[in-house]
Amino acid sequence: YPVDEVYGKLPSDGISGGRPSYMATPVSKRELRRYVSLLESHGIAFNYLLNGACFGNQEWTRDWQKSVTVLLAQLQDMGIRRVTVSTPFLLELVKRRFPSFKVKVGIYAHVDTPRRARFWSELGADAITLESFSINRDFARLGAIRKAVQCELQLIANHVCLPNCPM
């Protein structure tokens, strides 16, 4: 199938991205800008991960909010127009301050019911990655979620994590 989007993040940007920083590709902002431009020339979007499940309550501080806003402005300047989040606060912040960004809800938000999907959709999500472990083969529930929202839905079919892993 054609590739529409790839995702990733800088190894250290002060904002959690759902994966340990040591697993990130060691790229600079300049290298990321070149990569985003190369992808764009092939019709592929880059989705920047801001999808940590917890920010240690730092998201309520002005300093953290300023740092996120600065980061988002830098991403926009690099040509990035898509981000993935897993907290309602961050979704609202991005949509309010950077309305041109397409915002996807990440798997760490654990969206697995029509009600949860509607919640995120009503906050302004453009796409939702469904909690795949428990519902990938639950076609009735997938159908109900599809009927509940108009935004894009995504399933991850090739997890490397163990089902119901406590980590």
Side-chain angles (χ1 to χ4, degrees), residues 113-114 118 139-149:
T113 65
R118 254 190 321 276
F139 299 114
R141 189 175 330 175
L142 291 171
I145 293 170
R146 174 69 283 160
K147 288 177 186 172
V149 297

Side-chain angles (χ1 to χ4, degrees), residues 50-53 55 84-88 90 104-110 120:
L50 298 169
N51 63 323
F55 299 110
T84 294
V85 303
S86 289
T87 63
L90 198 47
K104 182 181 286 185
V105 176
I107 193 167
Y108 301 128
H110 301 286
W120 286 98

Side-chain angles (χ1 to χ4, degrees), residues 110-131:
H110 301 286
V111 178
D112 61 355
T113 65
R115 184 177 185 183
R116 285 184 179 161
R118 254 190 321 276
F119 169 82
W120 286 98
S121 178
E122 290 170 1
L123 283 181
D126 298 292
I128 300 170
T129 305
L130 298 175
E131 196 294 305

